[in-house]
Amino acid sequence: MAIEEIVAPGSSIAAPPPVVGRFSDFVYQLRGNPATFAGLFIVALIFLSALLGPVLARYDPYGVNLGDAAVPPSFAHPFGTDQYGEDVLTRVVVAARLDLIMVLSAVVLSTVIGVTIGALAGFFGHFFDEGVMRSQDVLQAFPRFVFAMAVAWALGPGVITVIVATAAINIPGYARLMRGLMLSVKESQFALAAVAVGNSRWRLLWRHLLPNCLTPVIVLSTLQCGFTILEAAGLSFIGLGVRVPTAEWGVMISMGLQDFLQGHWWIYTFPGLAIAVAVLGFNCRTSSIPSGGGYRQCPCSRFRISARVSFSAVASCVSWTA
Amino acid sequence: MSLEIEPGEVLGLVGETGSGKSVTAYSIIGLLKQPGRVVGGEVRLQGRDLVALAESELEEEIRGKEISMIFQNPREALNPVITVGRQLTQVLEIRRGMSKREARQEAVKIVKSVHISDPESRLGSYPHQLSGGMAQRIMISLALSCEPRLLIADEPTTGLDVTTQYQIVQLLRELRQRTGMAMLLITHDLALAAQICDRVAVLYAGRIAEVGRIEHLFQSPRHPYTKALLASRPRLGLKGDIVTIAGNVANLMDPPGGCRFHPRCPNAVSVCSREQPALEPMEPGQRVACHNPVGVRQQVAASG
Amino acid sequence: MGSTRLLLYAARRLLFIVPVMLVALFLVFALTRIVPGNPIDRVAGPYISTERRAELKHLAYLDRPFYEQFALYLRDLSHGDMGTSYTTAQDVSKDLRQRFPATFELVTYAMLFAVLAAIPLGIAAAIKKDSWIDSVARAVSVLGVSMPIFWLGLMLLYVFFYYLDWLPGPVGRTGSATVFVKPITGFFTVDSLLTGNFDLFGQVVKALALPCFTLGFVAMAPIARMTRAVMVEVLQSDYIRTARSLGLPFRVVVLRHALKNAMIPILTIIAAVYGYALGGEVLVEIIFSWPGMGQYSYNALLSSDFPAIQGFVLLVTFLYLVIYLCLDIANAALDPRVQY
């Protein structure tokens, strides 16, 4: 829950300075940060298996072979086979593509919608702002996963469902974050300067203000990647998302659950590990974001709120709460 | 660097921002922030070396009881979620073993002694409800609560408005008269030092440039840095620009060799960049670390 | 001092809950009625007469327009009637009353475990930065956020139930399909002690162990992480330096001075995690066959049991808002700077 609540106050304290990420800066930062490096490596690995998975696979991910059902890990099947004789390793690798597509679509969808709503609310204020914020409050009065379950159920199972449901629960967060950022950025000197030289309102909004709010938004989206993997898998696991026998990590775990009492641990262990590693990868990557030195670290040194325990500590915890 | 303070004396430690004043003060009571640490030297309090003491001994025997501190920005130096009264009585209970009731009475007494009107209700407030001057008075009460022998005041008037600054200075002078404790005043403000201190040590880049009685220092500064500092004071009736010291404060991570002031020094001679000058007595009670002190070479030249 | 003002504040906030719940309820109504198909057709099956079908629909108000259904539901609700579940054929309020204690017991113990483990861990990690304890804290927080909760539950079940056989399998609150407890408080740990049945108490505790740990471990991660981050920052603050300069023992400095300041953001994260636990709990209940609200709502969703879904959403939203209300009150009580 509450990533947005946590990012937003810290970020509204001071608008991030206008910065342009440079690749060399990014590489420089990477060298000092092994966790980020590991995270990038994992994410790269996932992208690679998403791209090449079907090519690399030794077996057909849907190759039902009841003669080889539920074989424990062996040389021929390093991760064993499931109860239909499908190779678990193959399915784990192949599933990367579907999971990645679902996660990235959900993240992009919620970012675009949320940022647009939030930017408009923050920029125009008044009635529109009030409406957006109140509906926000209501949506956030549900536990996230319960909300996702309800949306997924209403839409019926499928890939699109997972994307929409996991995107829906994140839209309020982006809207709230973006609104807070916009409120502080629109009062800044450079906004005033942009108006003074004759920019139109829309140009001010899209070309001057929006780009300067993006760093925290990017942080939130990378964080969201990790959580969305978990939520998408959760939905599929309980049968409200993608359905059996699709090669998807959450589905594969639920297939393992059916065989739990037979002790076929490999059926659910390896897909679960894949999820954990993927989430880990996305979360590590977030610990440092290009442009200006990692948003999460910078508030500590740059902006101090003296009296109150500053939100920077809260912001550094961001990666967590969902 | 070497400094000594007599009982009952007020020593000023004056220097620009970043010259190592506060670091000196914190190392005295072992409160340097990570990753800082004391690498050598000793801090002697009546013959005991404080650097050699274990953290628990420092905590138990020295801090508060022998040496205590007051800080700049007093409102931030007080815990925001505990009433000032509780902060004070807690110290009295823990450090002086008083009962709750005794502590309460003592707190009122101490707070009265720093001229806080209506002490009972003040003790019930939280730091954010106090003005800066009031908070500094509370801070002073806390520092005095265990009757220390030495009070270190780290920029005690920074962050206060001018009239309050004056009141705090008055209070410090009065306390010194009344309690007879020694005081180490850390400041960048020579004028402030002149108001309270008996002696002043001028610090440059972590080293003492000059030590001496305040009136000597003002009348005949020997170190070029002291002279420049005095010249750069804003004064009433000053015509033209304030004289500034050329260049920047030396980088303490990579200090210049020899005398650390030589790159900025108008009196620099060739030996300055090679050898570190020792702190040597010039006149009674005044010591200077300089190869070419102000007003000396000329004298030599004149007599020779 | 300001306790009456605090109470007034609480009352004001409590009033705010009502409109939020109304809107939440409206959303659920909209969401359920958008879905094509009539739930009675699904629940009742094909072998029932058209007249009977129409009668059932009429009883459930399902033959009326959407807004009338909503108004009728609100009317009944004001009498404490949450409708009748299509699947259990019981009053929804009764269903929820039966299942709520199971969930509440699980979440309470899990949160207790998480808080009691995470806060000391976070404090220790903050005091001894870059020590082994800091590494442990980091490992806990990284693992806790990365693992899918249902997978963690499965892995624990495999190890402790299937492989080691130390703890009971996923068969509910007593760890056995044949042992039943007559609820007094609804907390089986308490009920078994009240009746002096220590064997049962042992069984209940064993049955609670795995689901509690699963939920608690995941809940621990953010709390530990937040505690560490906030404590690191607080310990560097000026007032801590003051406290130390006065010679207060380090323990007093940490527990009474630093922790009191750190508690405000820590409580915020605990509230957020509590809310998260209410959602994550659904998955834990499914894995462990825990007969709580999570499972109830899941089954209600699968069988389009409208009254049950509405009842569940009402209850969860209410709980959620109450948690945040408690948080705000705690903040107001803890932080003298909060205006209310």
Side-chain angles (χ1 to χ4, degrees), chain C residues 173-174 179-195 197 200 204:
Chain C
R173 301 179 72 186
T174 56
V179 178
F180 297 98
V181 181
K182 194 171 179 321
I184 305 168
T185 63
F187 267 51
F188 283 4
T189 42
V190 178
D191 292 349
S192 59
L193 286 181
L194 281 179
T195 51
N197 191 339
L200 180 64
V204 169

Side-chain angles (χ1 to χ4, degrees), chain A residues 291-310:
Chain A
S291 88
Y295 182 77
R296 288 205 306 156
Q297 291 142 3
C298 77
C300 311
S301 53
R302 234 183 273 163
F303 322 121
R304 271 189 64 199
I305 322 165
S306 41
R308 194 148 191 156
V309 170
S310 94

Side-chain angles (χ1 to χ4, degrees), chain A residues 129-311:
Chain A
D129 187 26
E130 198 54 30
V132 169
M133 291 318 288
R134 291 291 80 79
S135 50
Q136 256 270 295
D137 285 348
V138 173
L139 283 185
Q140 293 200 326
F142 290 103
R144 282 166 66 95
F145 192 71
V146 174
F147 184 33
M149 269 169 57
V151 173
W153 163 78
L155 294 174
V159 174
I160 302 293
T161 298
V162 176
I163 295 171
V164 173
T166 51
I169 53 180
N170 285 301
I171 289 173
Y174 286 102
R176 193 163 178 153
L177 173 67
M178 195 60 200
R179 172 185 172 271
L181 290 169
M182 193 50 88
L183 282 178
S184 67
V185 165
K186 79 173 177 184
E187 303 298 335
S188 65
Q189 293 292 320
F190 73 84
L192 206 65
V195 176
V197 299
N199 281 290
S200 72
R201 267 159 79 91
W202 286 105
R203 198 177 153 81
L204 173 69
L205 176 56
W206 296 115
R207 299 297 298 274
H208 292 267
L209 301 186
L210 204 62
N212 276 296
C213 298
L214 286 185
T215 311
V217 171
I218 294 168
V219 175
L220 188 56
S221 346
T222 14
L223 286 176
Q224 196 206 326
C225 287
F227 297 118
T228 304
I229 296 177
L230 291 177
E231 280 151 358
L235 285 178
S236 298
F237 174 75
I238 58 175
L240 290 173
V242 180
R243 281 282 171 88
V244 179
T246 315
E248 194 276 343
W249 294 329
V251 170
M252 292 168 72
I253 298 177
S254 78
M255 287 168 66
L257 179 63
Q258 294 161 11
D259 258 21
F260 179 78
L261 287 179
Q262 278 80 47
H264 300 155
W265 55 270
W266 55 90
I267 303 181
Y268 50 83
T269 301
F270 295 109
L273 266 179
I275 296 176
V277 170
V279 177
L280 200 71
F282 278 112
N283 285 352
C284 284
R285 227 183 79 52
T286 335
S287 63
S288 134
I289 291 290
S291 88
Y295 182 77
R296 288 205 306 156
Q297 291 142 3
C298 77
C300 311
S301 53
R302 234 183 273 163
F303 322 121
R304 271 189 64 199
I305 322 165
S306 41
R308 194 148 191 156
V309 170
S310 94
F311 283 100

Side-chain angles (χ1 to χ4, degrees), chain B residues 19-180:
Chain B
S19 59
K21 296 164 297 181
S22 300
V23 171
T24 310
Y26 293 132
S27 51
I28 293 174
I29 56 172
L31 284 181
L32 273 184
K33 276 181 188 167
Q34 299 287 339
R37 64 197 172 91
V38 177
V39 282
E42 47 186 30
V43 178
R44 289 201 172 275
L45 182 80
Q46 299 188 314
R48 275 175 95 182
D49 186 2
L50 303 188
V51 174
L53 288 183
E55 170 69 20
S56 62
E57 284 173 305
L58 267 176
E59 195 175 278
E60 177 59 31
E61 292 165 26
I62 305 299
R63 291 184 201 142
K65 286 188 172 163
E66 295 285 346
I67 306 175
S68 61
M69 282 190 81
I70 60 178
F71 306 93
Q72 54 186 333
N73 300 330
R75 278 200 287 190
E76 288 172 26
L78 295 171
N79 196 323
V81 298
I82 306 180
T83 61
V84 293
R86 181 62 199 140
Q87 293 183 46
L88 193 50
T89 53
Q90 188 181 46
V91 175
L92 292 169
E93 284 165 28
I94 294 177
R95 301 292 285 154
R96 286 175 64 185
M98 291 184 169
S99 70
K100 276 209 149 54
R101 206 173 147 168
E102 286 167 344
R104 184 81 201 166
Q105 286 165 349
E106 180 70 18
V108 172
K109 222 171 83 190
I110 296 174
V111 170
K112 264 189 187 148
S113 78
V114 296
H115 308 303
I116 290 180
S117 53
D118 194 10
E120 299 281 350
S121 77
R122 283 296 173 213
L123 287 177
S125 8
Y126 289 94
H128 74 280
Q129 297 165 324
L130 301 176
S131 67
M134 197 59 82
Q136 191 59 291
R137 282 167 200 270
I138 295 287
M139 190 60 235
I140 293 171
S141 322
L142 276 170
L144 293 181
S145 60
C146 301
E147 298 165 348
R149 267 190 261 238
L150 171 64
L151 176 69
I152 302 174
D154 181 10
E155 307 262 11
T157 57
T158 306
L160 303 180
D161 61 51
V162 180
T163 45
T164 322
Q165 283 188 12
Y166 176 72
Q167 289 168 359
I168 295 293
V169 168
Q170 286 299 320
L171 177 63
L172 289 175
R173 283 165 82 156
E174 182 199 324
L175 287 172
R176 180 204 161 190
Q177 295 287 322
R178 202 170 65 213
T179 60

